[in-house]
Amino acid sequence: MSTRAGSQRGVGTASLRRQVGRLYTALVLHRRIVNVLGDSTAWIAALVLGLLFRYDFEVPGAAVRGLLVLVPLALAVQFLVGLADGLYVGRWILGSFEEVAALTRTVFVTGAFLAVLDLPTRLVPLSVALAAPVLALVAMAGARYAWRLQRERQRDPSQTAKPLLVYGAGEAAAQVISSLVRQPESPFWPVGLIDDDLRKQNLRLRGVPVLGTGAALAPVVERTGATALLLAIPSAEAAFVRDLSAFCLHHHLEFQVLPSTAELPGCRVGVDDIRPVTEADLLGRREITTDCTSIASYLTGKRVLVTGAGGSIGSELCRQLKPLGPDRLLMLDRDESALHAVQLSIEGRALLDGDLVLCDIRDEHRLREVFDEHRPHVVFHAAALKHLSLLERFPTEALSTNVHATERLLELSVEYGVERFVNISTDKAADPISALGASKRITERLTAHAADRATGEYLSVRFGNVLGSRGSVLPLFRAQIEAGGPLTVTHPDVTRFFMTVEEAVQLVIQAGALGRDGEALVLDMGEPVEIVEVARRLIAESGRSIPIEYTGLRPGEKLHETLIGPDETVSARCHPLISHVPVPPLGPARVRALRPTMGHGELIAALQRLASSPTSVRTDGPVGTVRPLGAVVDDHQAAPGSA
């Protein structure tokens, strides 16, 4: 008997819940009507309570009659003003700041109308007419907040979403948590926050509490049962992202991040911005602030030529230069398919028209035609051969493309009055031991020599490995994992610098505005990364058992790259991520003396000699003024291949 009674009570409870649910759904569907009725009720209650409080609950008949006149007027004005302000037409998100602002305006106008009306007539005491709007506003805003809170709690997160721990309790975390609890279809449900700021340890964001600092991350994960971790710090640097990624791999957590600050300039974040961690996050994430004012001064309204525009650096340069307002953006490359791709990425179409320039920079006659036709004001020289091992085997290609072509490009730039020339160099030019490094160091010295002769400013920009560029180690590792391995690493201790192509190009453009004649500007690449750790991380992410094979350093490779050579000193720093290094000039006559017909070893040795800086460099006078000691600046009579 008791079982049957219990069963009946259970059925009755379930039925009641269903009826309440249907009623709530109906209210949501008819929200506008409910808002009007609710606000009207709030005004009635506010005026009645104001009158009761004024007379200590002993209201005289005259005041009651005045109230009966004032209430309909208040409801009518509230409705008409609210309708005009979008309050009752579904213009605002429920309980949002915008809706509360509209509500405040409407109540203020209605209250002002009542006060002005009551001054000569004294329908109710003036204190009631002044206090009632405040009471009404509190009731209306409170009702909307309670309604929104109830809607957000309708979802059962245990069945539809993964429990998510959020690292960071700042503005980005507040936005993404609000987005998560608002959207029933979101894949995550926030169960706690982690923040290293001790002042935030009692903070709650939309009811989600801060549960500790990063030091307590492991016990918090165990206590909350979180299966995913979101890094909600867009400005986090790569080293911090790597540490959290390693933690998540060890504790079998799904690791998610928000885009970096550079990817979200002034934008709000939400559920759709949550994404898995990428190599760029792990190796190259950096918060960079670009001074667009100084950039515009040398690019806006100018004819800008980018060589190697189809490459990874050149194409990104074109994408970032286009919004800065050049008069013309001349995109030069010898690869027609690459030009097709870069035009498509910038303009959304690829008709191979406009300012595309098909040209091989090794063709001096064709290059002169380009300068004669377009007469650029600014040149970004990104065209180069860059695969170290291939150039070590074929140094004549390094000579023809990296050295001789750059020398001709500089000569034409000086001849045609180019105002600013930016030579894209590499970290391998610092203390070079390879044909690639030596050839790029020579281009830095040739650029410094051109700076002495030209009326404009000629400088070089030096940085390391760019994520996503052709030949990058990361696509190689992923391809090897896909093929079943092994992953090939040259040495267990080898390290390299990494930066995303977007960050590198931002700093290149900034360097073009800050650099002084003849300098090499060196981009801060952060801390070097152990390549074997990158390989292990990718293997762990793949969930497969794949061996790592050490192949040994190849000719010309360094165990650890450097950004500044041992004989170089930083002369100034006008940007926190850009260092200025003086470069000793090298006359073009000594470069022209090198011939592709030279023997392999002889040519590499000659490149090394020309790349070597003078043994003594003095930097007197203004920053960036370089005065080599001895007759080494421009020795046009030097013997072929001599240093």
Side-chain angles (χ1 to χ4, degrees):
M1 188 73 176
S2 60
T3 302
R4 183 181 302 172
S7 176
Q8 290 175 348
R9 283 195 299 272
V11 171
T13 302
S15 176
L16 179 61
R17 287 177 178 171
R18 284 195 296 271
Q19 292 174 7
V20 171
R22 282 195 290 268
L23 176 62
Y24 179 78
T25 302
L27 291 176
V28 171
L29 292 174
H30 298 86
R31 175 189 150 197
R32 299 175 190 178
I33 297 175
V34 172
N35 278 350
V36 173
L37 294 176
D39 292 348
S40 299
T41 303
W43 266 113
I44 295 171
L47 288 166
V48 170
L49 286 175
L51 204 60
L52 290 173
F53 292 155
R54 170 64 177 79
Y55 288 106
D56 291 332
F57 292 88
E58 295 181 2
V59 182
V64 172
R65 288 190 294 274
L67 183 66
L68 293 177
V69 174
L70 207 59
V71 164
L73 293 174
L75 301 187
V77 174
Q78 170 75 21
F79 176 74
L80 293 174
V81 176
L83 202 63
D85 206 7
L87 199 59
Y88 303 125
V89 295
R91 184 179 299 173
W92 315 112
I93 297 174
L94 178 66
S96 65
F97 287 114
E98 292 83 0
E99 187 184 41
V100 172
L103 184 67
T104 302
R105 289 192 298 269
T106 302
V107 172
F108 175 79
V109 171
T110 304
F113 173 81
L114 295 182
V116 170
L117 180 68
D118 195 54
L119 278 174
T121 59
R122 284 290 189 264
L123 295 172
V124 296
L126 185 60
S127 60
V128 175
L130 294 176
V134 177
L135 296 175
L137 180 61
V138 170
M140 295 175 195
R144 281 167 169 78
Y145 178 76
W147 190 343
R148 177 172 175 172
L149 197 62
Q150 179 62 28
R151 286 188 66 181
E152 292 173 353
R153 289 177 176 174
Q154 289 301 301
R155 173 184 171 204
D156 184 2
S158 62
Q159 298 177 3
T160 60
K162 302 172 186 176
L164 176 74
L165 198 60
V166 180
Y167 201 117
E171 180 60 27
Q175 292 177 17
V176 80
I177 287 176
S178 295
S179 182
L180 285 168
V181 299
R182 277 201 311 267
Q183 299 185 27
E185 69 278 5
S186 61
F188 303 103
W189 183 260
V191 295
L193 288 153
I194 293 290
D195 199 284
D196 294 323
D197 188 346
L198 296 177
R199 295 171 296 180
K200 295 182 179 179
Q201 294 310 299
N202 294 319
L203 180 67
R204 285 176 177 263
L205 298 178
R206 303 303 299 271
V208 181
V210 174
L211 301 176
T213 64
L217 186 55
V220 169
V221 169
E222 184 176 355
R223 187 165 83 246
T224 59
T227 60
L229 176 69
L230 169 65
L231 176 60
I233 308 176
S235 61
E237 293 197 354
F240 185 67
V241 180
R242 287 196 297 271
D243 291 341
L244 277 185
S245 177
F247 175 89
C248 291
L249 285 173
H250 180 71
H251 289 82
H252 307 291
L253 290 173
E254 185 178 330
F255 188 34
Q256 303 286 325
V257 298
L258 293 179
S260 66
T261 304
E263 298 172 81
L264 292 169
C267 297
R268 294 182 63 83
V269 293
V271 174
D272 294 338
D273 295 304
I274 298 175
R275 59 168 172 76
V277 67
T278 65
E279 290 88 354
D281 298 313
L282 294 170
L283 301 177
R285 177 182 279 225
R286 184 77 61 90
E287 182 176 8
I288 295 174
T289 303
T290 302
D291 184 357
C292 293
T293 302
S294 63
I295 287 174
S297 65
Y298 83 98
L299 293 170
T300 303
K302 304 292 185 179
R303 292 186 296 276
V304 181
L305 171 66
V306 178
T307 70
S312 52
I313 297 294
S315 60
E316 182 61 27
L317 259 172
C318 294
R319 282 187 286 270
Q320 292 195 26
L321 288 170
K322 188 70 172 179
L324 298 178
D327 175 46
R328 295 180 65 190
L329 179 58
L330 305 165
M331 297 176 282
L332 183 149
D333 204 290
R334 67 175 182 178
D335 186 339
E336 58 182 348
S337 298
L339 287 176
H340 179 277
V342 70
Q343 187 182 49
L344 181 63
S345 70
I346 293 175
E347 301 179 8
R349 62 184 185 88
L351 302 180
L352 298 180
D353 58 356
D355 293 329
L356 298 186
V357 180
L358 190 62
C359 172
D360 187 338
I361 61 170
R362 300 197 296 191
D363 185 339
E364 184 176 6
H365 175 71
R366 176 74 184 102
L367 201 57
R368 178 173 289 277
E369 287 181 344
V370 171
F371 271 75
D372 192 54
E373 177 184 355
H374 300 289
R375 298 183 179 270
H377 299 111
V378 181
V379 174
F380 286 92
H381 179 39
L385 296 178
K386 61 183 180 180
H387 287 275
L388 185 146
S389 295
L390 279 176
L391 294 186
E392 204 67 17
R393 292 175 55 200
F394 307 106
T396 55
E397 295 300 312
L399 175 66
S400 298
T401 300
N402 293 356
V403 178
H404 282 163
T406 299
E407 185 269 320
R408 296 187 193 106
L409 186 65
L410 284 164
E411 286 294 313
L412 287 170
S413 297
V414 173
E415 179 182 341
Y416 282 85
V418 167
E419 298 172 5
R420 193 171 300 254
F421 185 101
V422 181
N423 170 46
I424 307 297
S425 188
T426 170
D427 59 349
K428 294 168 180 60
D431 191 23
I433 64 170
S434 63
L436 169 60
S439 67
K440 295 302 287 182
R441 176 57 174 173
I442 291 171
T443 67
E444 291 182 358
R445 298 190 63 188
L446 288 170
T447 304
H449 177 270
D452 289 341
R453 301 166 50 217
T455 56
E457 294 188 356
Y458 287 60
L459 53 102
S460 298
V461 179
R462 185 191 299 172
F463 52 91
N465 297 280
V466 172
L467 293 172
S469 64
R470 297 174 185 174
S472 173
V473 69
L474 297 175
L476 171 63
F477 281 167
R478 291 206 177 277
Q480 290 177 334
I481 289 173
E482 189 67 25
L487 266 65
T488 54
V489 179
T490 55
H491 191 282
D493 298 325
V494 68
T495 63
R496 292 292 182 265
F497 293 100
F498 287 97
M499 178 178 278
T500 66
V501 64
E502 295 82 6
E503 293 163 343
V505 167
Q506 271 188 279
L507 287 176
V508 166
I509 298 173
Q510 182 78 0
L514 296 175
R516 299 176 179 86
D517 257 357
E519 292 180 327
L521 286 86
V522 183
L523 307 189
D524 184 349
M525 301 288 294
E527 294 298 319
V529 177
E530 293 185 2
I531 299 300
V532 69
E533 287 304 316
V534 176
R536 288 170 180 162
R537 191 184 305 275
L538 292 176
I539 291 171
E541 288 177 358
S542 72
R544 303 166 69 178
S545 179
I546 296 176
I548 295 176
E549 180 181 301
Y550 298 104
T551 60
L553 292 173
R554 292 167 292 187
E557 280 192 321
K558 298 178 182 177
L559 188 61
H560 307 293
E561 295 286 3
T562 57
L563 292 168
I564 298 175
D567 59 341
E568 295 180 319
T569 56
V570 177
S571 63
R573 185 183 283 263
C574 298
H575 187 287
L577 297 178
I578 301 175
S579 300
H580 298 241
V581 175
V583 176
L586 175 69
R590 303 174 65 187
V591 167
R592 293 174 190 145
L594 300 180
R595 295 286 181 264
T597 55
M598 298 171 66
H600 182 285
E602 181 186 5
L603 178 55
I604 290 182
L607 289 172
Q608 291 285 0
R609 286 195 298 272
L610 289 184
S612 299
S613 299
T615 55
S616 181
V617 178
R618 185 171 69 247
T619 55
D620 302 330
V623 172
T625 301
V626 182
R627 298 181 182 176
L629 301 181
V632 296
V633 175
D634 189 7
D635 184 4
H636 289 274
Q637 305 303 320
S642 63

